[in-house]
Amino acid sequence: LAKTTQPISMDSYEGQEVNITCSHNNIATNDYITWYQQFPSQGPRFIIQGYKTKVTNEVASLFIPADRKSSTLSLPRVSLSDTAVYYCLVGDIEDTGRRALTFGSGTRLQVQP
Amino acid sequence: NAGVTQTPKFRVLKTGQSMTLLCAQDMNHEYMYWYRQDPGMGLRLIHYSVGEGTTAKGEVPDGYNVSRLKKQNFLLGLESAAPSQTSVYFCASSPPPDRISYEQYFGPGTRLTVT
């Protein structure tokens, strides 16, 4: 299984850009990288997904270097409501063709006023 | 369109008791998953299913059983609950496997306490 490593926590202030990096050295050729956001007492919510280079949607950008051994989630101009835990997800294709999934340990982002 | 729903929302069990957690999705998704999340920790995959009638073990399957008799439902069973199974359980589903992606839709969770 591809293992992921993220910083345990980060602090920021409202209006700043926040970049969270995830390391995934054993990523497989066909794997996508997916990021989720989780608020207390709720299930995780999909934010963004990418395979290589850069992906942008209405809430975030995802930067993936050519070797794909890491990825960086970028949140522009964060607000207090962005305070949450952010998870990096990378999947494996097992020998049987089934999928196995590994969530990272998560990064707890605290946004201050 | 309710998305992913979980029943019950809360439950307290005594050691040795059994129970079944129900997950239902109305998005016609092929894949369904059960995770557990312990306090301050990330999610760990218990079991998953890639289609009706199929199940597979995840990272932490011991002490749990699952069944997928209908495409829209995925049941998680605890035959003999132990205090180590105190956790929040999340169910998720994902679209058909026509692309290599991991966009999952999560339910609200079931908070289980085993005393």
Side-chain angles (χ1 to χ4, degrees), chain B residues 48-79:
Chain B
Y48 64 101
S49 169
V50 301
E52 182 179 320
T54 72
T55 62
K57 294 180 180 179
E59 185 183 357
V60 288
D62 294 341
Y64 305 96
N65 57 75
V66 289
S67 64
R68 184 99 180 267
L69 299 180
K70 293 183 179 180
K71 185 177 183 179
Q72 64 268 33
N73 296 336
F74 195 29
L75 278 63
L76 177 71
L78 286 73
E79 290 185 348

Side-chain angles (χ1 to χ4, degrees), chain B residues 77-115:
Chain B
L78 286 73
E79 290 185 348
S80 180
S84 60
Q85 294 178 304
T86 293
S87 190
V88 179
Y89 291 84
F90 288 103
C91 176
S93 68
S94 67
D98 56 356
R99 56 195 171 106
I100 307 298
S101 67
Y102 297 98
E103 181 176 351
Q104 297 178 43
Y105 297 79
F106 282 82
T110 294
R111 188 174 297 275
L112 175 66
T113 302
V114 183
T115 61

